[in-house]
Amino acid sequence: MLLLKSLRGEKIPRFPVWLMRQAGRYMSQYRELRNKEKDFLSFCKNVELSIKASLLPVEILGVDAVIIFSDILVPLEPMGVKVEFLEGEGPRLFWDGRALKKLNFSQVEFVGEIIKGVKEGLKDVPVIGFCGAPFTLMAYMVEGGSSKEFKKTKGFMWKGEEYHRVMSLLVESLLEYLKGQIRAGADVVQVFDSWAMHMPYDDFEEYATTYLKVLFEELKKFSSVPVVYFFRGSGSFLRALKRLPVDALSVDWTVDMIGAMRESSKAFQGNLDPAVLYSDEETIVKKVRSLLRCIPRKTGYVFNLGHGLMPDMDVNKVRLLVETVQSYELS
Ligand code: CP3
């Protein structure tokens, strides 16, 4: 499998490509499937529909990996957090610290079934399992949804005691959650840290790295499945990210890929600005090729965007992007 070879830094004929939020609203086939369930979380729990959604990007775009269709907020429900997705408004979360409990994979067995079902529908294409990073999930919980300034999160973090209890519980639960996904057959796991860039750099070590290290080290003890860590706003945090015990860093467009890859023994994933997809075809091809030309071949590389695809993107341009990566031959 091309993706696994590249993550291991082995010789490959071309770079593998998959895209974050590759099964999403920009695809009419996804919107059609999505209409079959009233709310987003019910859709995520519907094994048959989630398997179909996961496989759409292989059928329509021919990508080199499938990320299972789910959401980073899914494992919070069995921990005792009430999660709601209101149409067009994003998530809302409600919880009581005293009632929080560790997740048991049997509560989210549907995620394991989605992985098994997706694998049955594939030949030679790896399946990526995932979870949210502890800080990002904690931020969603404390803010009660999305946020711009993270005022409550930072106060909660600096206050300390309750923060450390919730973060430890998240790490234990996420570990159980990812181990369950690996047992079900996930070939790679990716941890999404969408909000950690909002914490002061000096706090990252104490309030995030401590927990991430436990998560990543325990995963390594459990299996040899490659672990990818996605960090939004990676540029300013790169020095800290490089020290984490993961196989690959998934970075956004704030990173100088050439510099970052030359100085690291890790594989990299990324980092094209998704806004390139709003340009014309010629620009898309040009931007993809100029990124690929720069990639140092010292360690592994997986093409991806710096963040997810957006609902108003044009599926034909997304296909062109995938084809451009796949037709770029390596010597
Ligand atoms: O990448 C994939 O194709 C796999 C599926 C996936 C989804 N969300 C599907 C989804 C993955 C890996 C995620 C991760 C996720 N979810 C992140 C981390 C990556 C990032 O974007 O930074 C985050 C922060 C979330 C939380 C989340 N999920 C929000 C804030 C929202 C609402 C905003 C919106 O776009 O509506 C979601 C909903 C969501 N997750 C949708 C999809 C396809 C859209 C909802 C729908 O289809 O009705």
Side-chain angles (χ1 to χ4, degrees):
M1 293 188 201
L2 193 63
L3 179 88
L4 294 174
K5 276 191 169 175
S6 193
L7 283 173
R8 288 193 294 253
E10 291 170 19
K11 198 169 158 51
I12 42 167
R14 63 168 178 86
F15 292 123
V17 46
W18 71 276
L19 305 167
M20 288 184 270
R21 235 175 291 147
Q22 60 189 13
R25 285 162 293 182
Y26 76 100
M27 266 181 185
S28 59
Q29 295 88 339
Y30 169 73
R31 295 195 299 270
E32 237 168 77
L33 283 180
R34 175 69 183 78
N35 281 338
K36 298 187 181 190
E37 278 286 355
K38 50 183 188 330
D39 63 277
F40 178 64
L41 274 183
S42 307
F43 188 91
C44 291
K45 290 176 201 162
N46 183 320
V47 172
E48 193 195 337
L49 291 179
S50 288
I51 293 172
K52 283 193 178 146
S54 309
L55 293 171
L56 285 178
V58 175
E59 292 157 13
I60 295 163
L61 308 169
V63 286
D64 298 309
V66 166
I67 180 155
I68 54 155
F69 193 89
S70 191
D71 197 83
I72 59 166
L73 303 181
V74 163
L76 293 183
E77 245 189 357
M79 290 180 68
V81 180
K82 186 165 176 265
V83 183
E84 283 176 359
F85 276 89
L86 304 174
E87 220 50 57
E89 277 191 46
R92 290 233 189 111
L93 296 85
F94 310 87
W95 56 291
D96 168 358
R98 289 162 302 184
L100 277 187
K101 52 189 182 300
K102 188 188 155 201
L103 168 144
N104 188 312
F105 197 74
S106 63
Q107 296 169 289
V108 284
E109 203 47 67
F110 60 93
V111 175
E113 285 166 31
I114 294 168
I115 293 177
K116 287 180 198 151
V118 168
K119 287 197 80 122
E120 270 172 33
L122 290 171
K123 229 183 93 203
D124 223 29
V125 179
V127 175
I128 305 171
F130 72 88
C131 72
F135 180 82
T136 287
L137 293 177
M138 195 278 309
Y140 268 111
M141 286 166 65
V142 176
E143 300 294 335
S146 296
S147 171
K148 283 203 173 76
E149 291 172 312
F150 298 91
K151 290 181 197 162
K152 290 187 203 159
T153 306
K154 290 182 182 181
F156 183 76
M157 175 174 96
W158 288 322
K159 198 141 171 53
E161 207 171 298
E162 179 73 351
Y163 175 85
H164 291 296
R165 193 180 71 83
V166 174
M167 287 290 275
S168 303
L169 203 53
L170 279 167
V171 169
E172 282 176 43
S173 300
L174 295 173
L175 193 56
E176 163 87 7
Y177 188 53
L178 289 181
K179 281 182 178 175
Q181 293 187 43
I182 293 170
R183 274 193 210 101
D187 300 293
V188 174
V189 289
Q190 177 155 324
V191 177
F192 286 89
D193 222 341
S194 306
W195 298 127
M197 65 171 181
H198 290 281
M199 62 164 78
Y201 186 84
D202 285 347
D203 285 332
F204 186 68
E205 197 74 41
E206 176 178 353
Y207 294 101
T209 306
T210 325
Y211 300 97
L212 288 167
K213 268 193 182 147
V214 176
L215 180 64
F216 297 145
E217 278 163 7
E218 291 301 315
L219 275 177
K220 278 286 148 223
K221 280 186 213 159
F222 177 74
S223 96
S224 60
V225 160
V227 178
V228 184
Y229 178 51
F230 165 76
F231 192 99
R232 196 139 73 93
S234 349
S236 349
F237 284 78
L238 203 58
R239 208 155 44 91
L241 304 186
K242 281 183 181 167
R243 290 198 290 260
L244 291 169
V246 290
D247 300 280
L249 292 173
S250 186
V251 295
D252 70 6
W253 54 92
T254 57
V255 166
D256 156 29
M257 279 301 247
I258 309 175
M261 289 188 71
R262 277 209 186 117
E263 293 157 18
S264 176
S265 56
K266 290 191 197 318
F268 275 72
Q269 178 175 275
N271 70 341
L272 194 72
D273 186 340
V276 166
L277 283 160
Y278 294 122
S279 307
D280 57 22
E281 280 81 0
E282 201 184 322
T283 310
I284 296 172
V285 172
K286 190 178 80 187
K287 294 295 283 176
V288 171
R289 290 208 183 128
S290 68
L291 169 62
L292 297 180
R293 247 195 316 273
C294 289
I295 297 300
R297 304 292 309 284
K298 193 168 75 87
T299 61
Y301 171 73
V302 176
F303 180 91
N304 209 316
L305 299 170
H307 199 214
L309 291 166
M310 300 301 286
D312 62 351
M313 284 173 172
D314 175 351
V315 69
N316 290 319
K317 290 185 177 174
V318 179
R319 196 186 285 116
L320 172 69
L321 174 100
V322 171
E323 282 167 7
T324 308
V325 180
Q326 293 181 335
S327 60
Y328 188 93
E329 288 172 24
L330 300 170
S331 48

